[in-house]
Amino acid sequence: MLVVEAAKPSESVAVQLNGRLVWDEGVTVRVFSAFAGRVSRILVEPGATVPKGAPLVEVASPDFGQAQSEARKVATDLAIAEKNLTRLRELASRGAAATKDIVSAEADLARAQAEQLRATRRLEIYDASAETINNNYVLKSPIGGVVVELNANPGQEVRADQILAGTEKLAAPLFTITDPTRLWIQVDATESDLAHLRPGQMVSVRSAAIPSKAFPAKIELIGDSLDPVARTVKIRASVQNPDRLLKSEMLASVEAGGTGGPSVEVSAKAVFFRSDRHYLFIESERGRFQRREVQIGYSQAGKIQVVAGIKTGDRVVGDGAMLLQQVLDSAPDETPPPANSSSTGSTNTVR
């Protein structure tokens, strides 16, 4: 038995997507030690708010002591080179020094200045100086924020190449510092979802932990390729979290408005999938049916949104669509359109 009904204008459909909350990498830093050594003292606790440059941990590091010693040595070499050049110039003024000796002393001074600048700048990168040689490296926060993760213990050995150590435990940062009032939500969207999403679009984020509250978010990035296995696109949105109610690694849902373009709504039973395409049958005249290729949107409460291929008022076959397809397949003089056809709305007729 065939059931035919008229296609109706569809209402705006809210797109529901599932995602995962993570730290906003634009305001997050994972801190590793620049020198190998042993943790001697931890200076902050998890949850502490720290300004930029705040000391985090002290590391007893022979490598750091060597850098301090090198800076002190090149400072001494520079002082000797300056005195030697001054002495030769005084001798030259009395005719007691050769010009080549002065040229050589000037070259030695230039090399000493370059080495001194290199060694000093190296320590300045780590906000340290060569005034004392104590092997005590103080690791400082490169940004202001909240210490949300701490993976250091007194006596723990750390390495300069810790991030490349090869196991998750060894490669964990000593500290993670971020601004928890800003989060990212990462979403996997299907191909049909993309019609409803665009960069810069405002969406709402909800968590099962706070079901009554919606958090505003803005889509920042839509991936340029699909996962070949899952057939999904990576989407990232920035979430405002001023009260810090949302937590990193929470599962959350994203709600976005539907497309603003015209679309119609039909029974979900009317649409079927065949040869990588969606089809339905319309009644072109009494007792005469046409198969029509369509593009679909979202299915909700037994209805499905059709965004291209039919229009409002078209009489669509609901129950019985697959029966008509079987009749079409068995008809020797009717063949379906080729699978590589790109024209939405192509038809085949059943009488």
Side-chain angles (χ1 to χ4, degrees):
M1 178 178 178
L2 301 181
V3 176
V4 181
E5 58 185 11
K8 300 177 181 179
S10 66
E11 299 178 356
S12 178
V13 178
V15 181
Q16 297 283 347
L17 302 171
N18 295 321
R20 180 172 63 93
L21 292 164
V22 296
W23 300 124
D24 184 336
E25 294 297 331
V27 290
T28 300
V29 64
R30 292 165 181 81
V31 185
F32 295 84
S33 175
F35 297 93
R38 178 174 295 175
V39 174
S40 56
R41 191 157 64 110
I42 298 173
L43 305 175
V44 296
E45 295 293 332
T49 300
V50 296
K52 181 180 180 180
L56 302 175
V57 65
E58 291 181 358
V59 178
S61 172
D63 291 347
F64 179 66
Q66 182 177 356
Q68 289 178 310
S69 177
E70 182 182 354
R72 180 70 66 84
K73 178 180 180 298
V74 297
T76 301
D77 292 342
L78 176 61
I80 292 173
E82 288 175 341
K83 290 179 179 179
N84 186 46
L85 179 59
T86 299
R87 181 179 61 82
L88 287 174
R89 283 175 175 170
E90 289 177 354
L91 291 174
S93 65
R94 299 185 180 94
T99 301
K100 66 176 183 178
D101 293 333
I102 296 177
V103 172
S104 178
E106 289 175 341
D108 290 341
L109 176 60
R111 282 191 291 268
Q113 288 173 333
E115 283 296 311
Q116 193 268 345
L117 180 61
R118 180 190 62 81
T120 301
R121 291 288 173 83
R122 183 187 180 191
L123 290 179
E124 286 177 351
I125 291 174
Y126 307 110
D127 199 16
S129 69
E131 293 181 1
T132 58
I133 302 176
N134 55 12
N135 293 2
N136 188 33
Y137 172 53
V138 179
L139 180 59
K140 299 181 179 180
S141 175
I143 65 170
V146 177
V147 179
V148 295
E149 184 179 352
L150 190 156
N151 295 300
N153 296 296
Q156 175 181 333
E157 292 287 341
V158 297
R159 297 166 46 181
D161 61 345
Q162 187 168 352
I163 194 171
L164 304 175
T167 68
E168 183 177 351
K169 184 175 180 180
L170 290 176
L174 298 180
F175 299 88
T176 300
I177 300 173
T178 188
D179 178 2
T181 64
R182 293 171 54 183
L183 297 173
W184 281 349
I185 184 166
Q186 296 178 338
V187 177
D188 289 333
T190 64
E191 294 178 68
S192 59
D193 294 331
L194 296 179
H196 305 268
L197 304 169
R198 65 184 185 279
Q201 179 181 354
M202 296 302 298
V203 296
S204 296
V205 174
R206 292 183 183 272
S207 168
I210 317 125
S212 61
K213 185 174 177 60
F215 297 84
K218 182 179 181 180
I219 296 177
E220 293 185 341
L221 179 67
I222 297 179
D224 292 322
S225 64
L226 271 71
D227 184 302
V229 177
R231 305 302 300 170
T232 56
V233 180
K234 298 293 184 183
I235 293 179
R236 188 187 78 209
S238 177
V239 185
Q240 300 303 312
N241 185 35
D243 299 323
R244 296 169 62 174
L245 298 176
L246 297 175
K247 311 298 180 184
S248 178
E249 300 303 329
M250 271 186 174
L251 298 180
S253 63
V254 175
E255 183 177 298
T259 60
S263 60
V264 297
E265 187 177 81
V266 299
S267 170
K269 297 179 181 179
V271 180
F272 58 95
F273 189 72
R274 186 180 176 87
S275 301
D276 297 328
R277 296 168 184 266
H278 290 93
Y279 295 94
L280 52 69
F281 282 94
I282 65 170
E283 187 179 36
S284 57
E285 57 185 74
R286 187 172 181 82
R288 184 183 178 91
F289 301 94
Q290 290 183 338
R291 191 181 74 170
R292 185 75 58 84
E293 180 190 342
V294 294
Q295 294 180 5
I296 65 170
Y298 282 84
S299 177
Q300 191 173 33
K303 298 291 184 179
I304 194 166
Q305 183 187 37
V306 179
V307 298
I310 62 172
K311 63 183 182 300
T312 300
D314 283 347
R315 292 178 55 77
V316 177
V317 176
D319 288 337
M322 293 308 298
L323 176 61
L324 288 177
Q325 180 60 45
Q326 292 176 7
V327 173
L328 183 63
D329 289 339
S330 63
D333 57 339
E334 299 287 355
T335 57
N340 61 357
S341 172
S342 59
S343 58
T344 300
S346 57
T347 62
N348 292 88
T349 303
V350 179
R351 296 179 178 85

